[in-house]
Amino acid sequence: MTKDIIIEIENLSKKFKIGKNAGDLRHSFSNMFSFSREKPIEIWALKDISFKVEQGEVFGIIGPNGSGKSTILKILSKITYPTSGKAILKGRVSSLLEVGTGFHPELTGRENVYLNGSILGMKRSEIKRKFDEIVDFSGVERFIDTPVKHYSSGMYVRLAFSVAAHLDPEILLVDEVLSVGDMAFRQKSIGKMHEVANSGRTVLFVSHNLNAVKSLCKKGIYLESGGIKALGDIKKVIENYENSVLNYENLDATNTKIVNEIIETKEIVIIESQGNKSSLICSGDNINIAMNLLSKIELKDIRIRLEFKDKKNNVLFVCNNFLTGKTINLNKGENILICKISKLPLNTGIYYIDLIMVKNRQTIYSGYNIIKFEVTSGNFYKTGNLPSETRQFLIEHSWKIK
Amino acid sequence: MITVIENKKGLNLKQRIHELNEYRELLWTLAYRDFRVKYTQTILGILWAVIEPLFTAVLLSFVFNKVAKANTFGINPVLFGLTGMIAWNYFANVVGQGTGSLILAQNMIKKIYFPKIILPASKAIAALPDLLIALVFTLIFYFIYRDHVGFNLIYLPVFLLLTIVSAMSLGIWFSALNIRYRDFRHIVPFVIRIGLFVTPIAYTTMDVPEQFRWIFYLNPMTGIIEGIRWSLFGLQMDCNYFFISIAVIIMLFITGFLFFNKMEKNIADII
């Protein structure tokens, strides 16, 4: 039996422009009058994507950072427009791209439910009808007439999610919202997704969490650099993804996946405390991660992120120049960039690093497993003692009796 | 319900209006939010809606009537100033708030689809209670000081409506420009500050030399405020000049809608 096609995507492409068009009048005027106008560099966030989703399906979209997963959802929810191609959606669409959008801290829970509901496209009468159910589901009945600025962050998120979960869409777009709230609530949320799917409606689920995707979806796609790498049965798609990206045995520099050609990494190495290149580090060492980046254009104010991961692809921590407040501008040509980490807090084991660069919120470089390194037992606590290998992190601490 | 998403050029007016009608509740909700938030945790609350224009009117009437000796045609100078000030105050608020409305709501814009024109437009509604309260106060003042009330008074709502339309249109214009060129964040407050003096709030355009008068009427609020004076006090109004202001308002309204529509597609990408 064939079911109705509810989402049909045909040759969908999306182009972004990156470069010298900063948003002020000075640039516009100088662009208008100068003849040597420098063309902005174009990036295809999506290129010729086509797939179909049947009614009642929970359809998974997986793939690494910057592969275009979120761009698909943004196009389907009409937030951004495609450059070419089209998407046909049969039914009311709502997205859970972010819960709590439009919540105002000064307003009460009750007012925010109405506000958020109508922002999400519900009619007032509809919110009224579902109000009790929404409040029940959130579990914040007692504080519903308190301004939400007095809520704990958990309560806030629960109320916000509850509104979003009570939309009645025929097509639901979900982007990793299952990680919000506490465990009990997450169970509720997954339950809600099942409920939506079981009632014959369609869910598009974008996630990094392969286990969640496996348990919720039957079909899906694996995206990479804006194109479809695998399509169909979710088990095969996930297998394909794992083989391609998470293939640790054959890991080398060629595994780098680059989103575009603006930046090239000439060399990335770890320099240990003695000043030598090494991929064998003692825990507790001061290390420098040195990157030689070759940029085709001058790039102002870019965000560079190093994600440290364990063997199972769990991100353990990140180093990000945005977090430390350091502005990084890259010159045209070679740039040497160094990220210094004092007292590496990792226990013995194998680790990987992803390198991601973002300009104007657009990923311009995404390198997966660009470095593999091993940590061996070092003298972290200056006692020679270390916890067992199952404890991944080492934290500097001291004890005192008073 | 079938939605087709593709990169279409041009404007489907019927579809746009239908969509705006679909989202009208959001317009009210956003306006309600702005209004609520404006007066939470204030002691005087909505009284501020009267205090602000009243004090500015007193100040302006002092400057223009006592110092510069502008003619108010025997009308109490404070009442005279207040009638212009309530309309100007509303206009300045809506245009100022409207300009930043898209940037302030960028979280919403990047996560949810809705007709974005609602954001600057809702500012015109959020400021309405303030306008009405200031208006009631002014009318009380008016009925106390005025022994003779003319028939023209029934036209007052027309001029208030024109105030709303012109404020909303300019708010829409500037909000769209501000997305592309953040310079407007600095330009708009500056223009509003100058507007306070080049708009005939505490004087009439009769004091302006004839050959420059048309320039004043390019400011939509000039025609509106002179119109308000005409309806309240029966002051003479030159229709030829008045129609310059009306033409400007209509033009701003239409071009604002079209320009916003052109920008709207890319707002989420460039904000």
Side-chain angles (χ1 to χ4, degrees):
Chain A
M1 193 187 99
T2 50
K3 284 185 182 166
D4 292 340
I5 303 292
I6 202 153
I7 303 175
E8 199 172 345
I9 293 176
E10 279 171 35
N11 305 320
L12 203 65
S13 300
K14 172 79 183 175
K15 183 171 68 180
F16 283 103
K17 285 184 187 136
I18 286 188
K20 294 199 157 190
N21 51 351
D24 59 53
L25 285 172
R26 190 166 55 92
H27 279 87
S28 283
F29 283 131
S30 59
N31 270 349
M32 222 181 280
F33 298 119
S34 73
F35 296 99
S36 62
R37 198 187 301 186
E38 208 168 315
K39 277 203 178 128
I41 287 198
E42 292 171 348
I43 289 175
W44 290 93
L46 286 178
K47 208 154 190 189
D48 279 338
I49 301 285
S50 304
F51 63 89
K52 287 174 184 167
V53 181
E54 287 173 356
Q55 183 170 17
E57 250 179 350
V58 182
F59 193 88
I61 301 178
I62 57 172
N65 282 323
S67 58
K69 301 187 299 288
S70 300
T71 309
I72 289 189
L73 291 202
K74 278 190 177 167
I75 289 174
L76 294 185
S77 49
K78 296 207 280 182
I79 292 168
T80 165
Y81 283 79
T83 310
S84 62
K86 67 175 172 183
I88 300 168
L89 302 160
K90 291 169 191 162
R92 175 169 155 179
V93 183
S94 24
S95 67
L96 297 185
L97 285 184
E98 183 77 45
V99 293
T101 310
F103 259 48
H104 199 287
E106 297 281 356
L107 300 181
T108 66
R110 184 187 301 275
E111 287 169 320
N112 269 311
V113 168
Y114 277 96
L115 175 64
N116 191 227
S118 55
I119 287 174
L120 294 173
M122 282 198 235
K123 293 260 174 285
R124 214 181 151 74
S125 53
E126 193 183 343
I127 306 170
K128 212 172 204 168
R129 188 155 41 79
K130 290 180 183 164
F131 187 81
D132 291 336
E133 213 182 313
I134 290 172
V135 176
D136 251 17
F137 185 74
S138 71
V140 299
E141 297 90 336
R142 283 203 299 138
F143 306 100
I144 197 66
D145 288 312
T146 311
V148 297
K149 64 179 172 184
H150 299 304
Y151 281 27
S152 71
S153 57
M155 282 159 65
Y156 184 95
V157 168
R158 286 210 298 277
L159 185 63
F161 189 89
S162 190
V163 181
H166 283 82
L167 291 163
D168 249 335
E170 276 114 19
I171 301 167
L172 182 67
L173 311 175
V174 186
D175 193 352
E176 307 211 36
V177 281
L178 294 190
S179 52
V180 300
D182 51 59
M183 270 316 280
F185 191 72
R186 196 181 305 183
Q187 290 302 326
K188 265 191 185 177
S189 310
I190 291 181
K192 188 78 199 176
M193 257 178 76
H194 272 302
E195 194 191 306
V196 168
N198 287 339
S199 61
R201 285 168 293 177
T202 312
V203 182
L204 229 64
F205 182 44
V206 164
S207 181
H208 277 300
N209 183 343
L210 297 181
N211 285 331
V213 173
K214 207 180 274 180
S215 72
L216 285 163
C217 310
K218 284 205 179 68
K219 276 186 177 176
I221 52 171
Y222 155 32
L223 282 183
E224 200 178 274
S225 309
I228 294 181
K229 267 271 178 142
L231 167 81
D233 180 58
I234 198 69
K235 285 201 186 85
K236 290 213 175 98
V237 169
I238 289 178
E239 218 168 87
N240 200 318
Y241 178 50
E242 283 176 331
N243 287 341
S244 151
V245 177
L246 315 175
N247 192 347
Y248 304 113
E249 305 309 316
N250 308 324
L251 186 104
D252 55 42
T254 57
N255 227 1
T256 307
K257 303 293 191 296
I258 298 164
V259 172
N260 65 83
E261 288 88 40
I262 295 179
I263 295 188
E264 215 180 293
T265 43
K266 289 195 80 175
E267 199 182 11
I268 300 182
V269 290
I270 301 181
I271 296 169
E272 42 93 311
S273 49
Q274 306 295 320
N276 304 315
K277 286 185 210 171
S278 175
S279 56
L280 190 65
I281 315 287
C282 294
S283 51
D285 253 12
N286 299 326
I287 60 167
N288 287 307
I289 295 159
M291 292 156 260
N292 187 349
L293 306 174
L294 188 63
S295 176
K296 291 225 171 115
I297 53 169
E298 188 187 348
L299 286 166
K300 287 238 161 79
D301 194 14
I302 67 166
R303 293 185 183 180
I304 301 188
R305 195 161 87 224
L306 291 166
E307 299 197 341
F308 287 73
K309 307 181 302 179
D310 65 9
K311 272 198 235 175
K312 290 175 190 139
N313 208 37
N314 297 315
V315 177
L316 303 173
F317 59 87
V318 295
C319 297
N320 186 334
N321 66 305
F322 173 66
L323 296 176
T324 62
K326 168 82 182 164
T327 309
I328 294 181
N329 303 321
L330 294 183
N331 299 321
K332 190 174 170 176
E334 279 190 35
N335 297 271
I336 307 281
L337 192 66
I338 289 171
C339 173
K340 183 183 173 198
I341 296 173
S342 318
K343 226 169 177 193
L344 188 73
L346 294 171
N347 204 350
T348 49
I350 308 267
Y351 299 93
Y352 301 86
I353 302 178
D354 287 352
L355 170 65
I356 295 126
M357 291 184 238
V358 177
K359 160 95 181 159
N360 298 345
R361 289 184 306 276
Q362 191 53 43
T363 309
I364 53 170
Y365 179 95
S366 220
Y368 306 98
N369 301 338
I370 49 157
I371 307 177
K372 174 192 184 183
F373 66 98
E374 195 174 343
V375 176
T376 61
S377 48
N379 205 355
F380 191 95
Y381 295 109
K382 306 267 186 299
T383 59
N385 301 332
L386 282 175
S388 87
E389 277 183 33
T390 54
R391 312 278 184 259
Q392 245 165 347
F393 288 104
L394 303 171
I395 293 289
E396 191 142 49
H397 63 282
S398 60
W399 294 86
K400 200 192 265 182
I401 303 179
K402 267 206 168 168
Chain B
M1 195 180 93
I2 295 180
T3 320
V4 179
I5 299 167
E6 57 189 329
N7 193 1
K8 255 190 295 187
K9 299 249 157 31
L11 165 72
N12 185 340
L13 193 65
K14 209 175 135 196
Q15 193 192 323
R16 285 304 278 166
I17 290 170
H18 175 77
E19 190 186 48
L20 283 175
N21 186 43
E22 282 282 296
Y23 276 90
R24 65 181 188 277
E25 281 186 358
L26 179 59
L27 180 71
W28 294 108
T29 314
L30 287 177
Y32 172 76
R33 177 189 71 175
D34 285 346
F35 176 72
R36 264 292 318 257
V37 170
K38 192 170 172 188
Y39 293 116
T40 44
Q41 288 199 2
T42 58
I43 297 171
L44 295 178
I46 194 96
L47 269 180
W48 282 111
V50 174
I51 297 168
E52 213 186 310
L54 179 63
F55 275 73
T56 325
V58 169
L59 189 72
L60 281 184
S61 63
F62 175 76
V63 172
F64 281 98
N65 308 126
K66 293 281 177 294
V67 180
K69 305 282 183 217
N71 189 358
T72 61
F73 301 92
I75 299 155
N76 178 313
V78 173
L79 176 61
F80 186 90
L82 197 57
T83 53
M85 198 55 218
I86 55 168
W88 173 259
N89 203 43
Y90 169 84
F91 178 82
N93 268 336
V94 172
V95 174
Q97 299 268 324
T99 304
S101 60
L102 293 175
I103 307 270
L104 265 179
Q106 51 178 299
N107 255 332
M108 212 171 125
I109 289 171
K110 280 188 278 181
K111 278 157 198 159
I112 295 168
Y113 173 79
F114 60 99
K116 277 131 206 95
I117 205 162
I118 282 180
L119 285 167
S122 72
K123 305 295 176 191
I125 292 171
L128 271 184
D130 284 19
L131 175 63
L132 292 180
I133 286 161
L135 180 70
V136 168
F137 176 80
T138 309
L139 285 178
I140 293 171
F141 198 179
Y142 169 74
F143 285 118
I144 292 172
Y145 272 83
R146 202 72 189 151
D147 38 9
H148 165 74
V149 174
F151 177 71
N152 292 351
L153 190 62
I154 60 162
Y155 290 106
L156 186 61
V158 175
F159 297 108
L160 294 178
L161 191 69
L162 284 173
T163 313
I164 296 169
V165 172
S166 56
M168 195 187 271
S169 307
L170 264 182
I172 288 169
W173 252 110
F174 285 136
S175 67
L177 282 169
N178 195 32
I179 285 289
R180 196 70 192 81
Y181 310 111
R182 300 286 158 97
D183 304 71
F184 280 89
R185 189 168 30 189
H186 306 288
I187 295 172
V188 172
F190 178 65
V191 169
I192 288 174
R193 214 175 312 145
I194 292 173
L196 185 63
F197 296 100
V198 299
T199 306
I201 293 166
Y203 57 96
T204 68
T205 48
M206 297 298 166
D207 290 328
V208 177
E210 177 86 39
Q211 67 265 39
F212 299 127
R213 215 171 279 167
W214 65 275
I215 301 175
F216 274 68
Y217 279 89
L218 289 178
N219 168 4
M221 288 312 288
T222 302
I224 290 170
I225 288 175
E226 300 265 279
I228 291 174
R229 298 266 165 67
W230 170 77
S231 80
L232 287 177
F233 307 120
L235 288 188
Q236 223 188 346
M237 183 173 63
D238 190 328
C239 276
N240 291 332
Y241 284 125
F242 177 71
F243 284 122
I244 297 179
S245 288
I246 297 297
V248 169
I249 293 170
I250 293 170
M251 204 190 65
L252 283 176
F253 181 74
I254 295 171
T255 54
F257 185 77
L258 292 176
F259 180 64
F260 196 94
N261 203 68
K262 193 168 173 286
M263 291 294 289
E264 182 162 22
K265 258 190 187 177
N266 298 318
I267 286 177
D269 290 341
I270 60 179
I271 199 166

